[in-house]
Each structure stands twice: as C-alpha cells, then as structure tokens.
Amino acid sequence: MIYVFDGSLEGLLTAVFEWFERKPGQVTLSLEKIYQPDAFTESLAIQNDRAKADRVWLGLQKKLSKEWMRKFYCAYLSEIPEIFNSLFLFTIYIFQNPAGAEKNYGNEHVLTLSKAARSVEREKHRMEAFIRFQHTTEGIYYCGIDPDFNVLPLILNHFKNRYADQKWIIYDLKRHYGLFYDLNIVEEITMDINTQALKQPAPHQLNEKEELYAHLWKDYFKSTNIVSRKNTKLHIRHVPKRYWKYLTEKQIG
C-alpha cells in the first residue's frame, strides 16, 4: 500500500498516526507531487490533521532524546524525496521497539536519517559562515541564497542573535521564501519580484557606500593572503567552490 502526502511535517506525522490506527501492513510513503498511480497497488491520500500529528510528535519526544529529535527534524529539512519514507518507517520502528532503538545503525532507516541530518547540519554551518549581506537603500541588509537543503529554520537564531541591531532579509531563491528581521521578531516572507533582482540587487538598490565596503573587504583579504603559503586544494576543501558566489571577496571586479 502507498500513503500519499503533501510533503509537510504535519502530513508525515499524520501518516504515522494513520498507520497505527489502520495497521495496513507494509506501506510506502510517497510525495504527492511525484506519486505515480499504480493499478495494482492501493493508495491512501493522507489528510493533514494537526491533532494527530501533535500526538505522534509528543510520542516521539518521549522516545527520543533532544539530539535525536533534532536529527529527525534536520533529516526532514533535507527534502530528499526518499527521506520521507525513511522518516515514516523510522518513526514506526521507534514506536514498535524499546528505548534505544535509534542507536541501532544496522537499521537502514536509522542510518539514512543520520546521514541526511549530518548533511543538513553541514550545510547549516556553511550558510552561517558564508552568507554576506548587502546594504540596500532601504536600510535593510539583504542576501539571496540557494542552499541544497532547507536550512532557513536552522540558521534563524544564529543571525537573529548575531545581527540583533540590524534589519535583514535572508531569501531562499530555490524555495521562494525568506526570513525578515525587523529588530524585534523574525518573520517568514515571500517576495513577488523577478528572480534576478532577488539574486543580485541592482546598483541603484544598494546603499551608496556598499561598493566602497565591498572594495575594502576585498583589499583586506588580498592584503592578508600570503602567496607563498597558498594551498588551493586545502582552501577548496574548507570553502567549496559552490559557496564562492556568496562571498564578497570572491567576486571579480
């Protein structure tokens, strides 16, 4: 049997609740947007239910440590299509086994969840390190990003604490939503303007001193670079090329 859900965490947890309620045997969880109906396999469209999802989440909190709850959430944020089925089966496995079952790395779903969570945590740390804001004419610091995983919920507190005295926007260009901090709270936002403008603000949209600051930043990095000790291979290992587009010091000109 195939359970079809909308990709939300609420939907995933509701699917777990439905499984325990119906006990249909072997079930695969599939994303609605990629689900291909099969004439020979029965399916069930999961209707999101907040109360059912909350009961499953609370149940997981009783079975798992905070560390594992975070792993679960991080794995969910990976958005890897196969991870949803693994999370679904992992949750059933946890409820059906005694405490400590999550440490059984011989279970394929435990292993898959752990690997996905580790990748998301790595992406989170890199985004916290590599994001560079640009000061706009409206007085807001802006940065557009397109991370491999949906890490905005994970980097929210880092930037709120670090830049508590500045208004800023971090916008996920791939997922079409962002975070806006107004000196008080962080809100989730969406912006209905063209992608190019979100990717790189036009010169007239930036503060008049932004170009000067960019030059100063580049000069600083140039002056601290010791050519004789240059190790490109090591540098790329710590700062992969795919993140260079975020770094002011890597921009030509």
Side-chain angles (χ1 to χ4, degrees), residues 105-122:
Y105 286 88
N107 180 288
E108 62 176 305
H109 307 301
V110 172
L111 191 60
T112 300
L113 183 152
S114 297
K115 284 182 178 177
R118 191 161 55 246
S119 297
V120 173
E121 291 281 15
R122 189 185 305 122

Side-chain angles (χ1 to χ4, degrees), residues 4 9 48 53 112 118 161 174 186 189 205:
V4 184
L9 183 58
N48 291 0
T112 300
R118 191 161 55 246
N161 295 332
K174 190 183 288 184
V186 180
I189 60 169
Q205 294 174 307

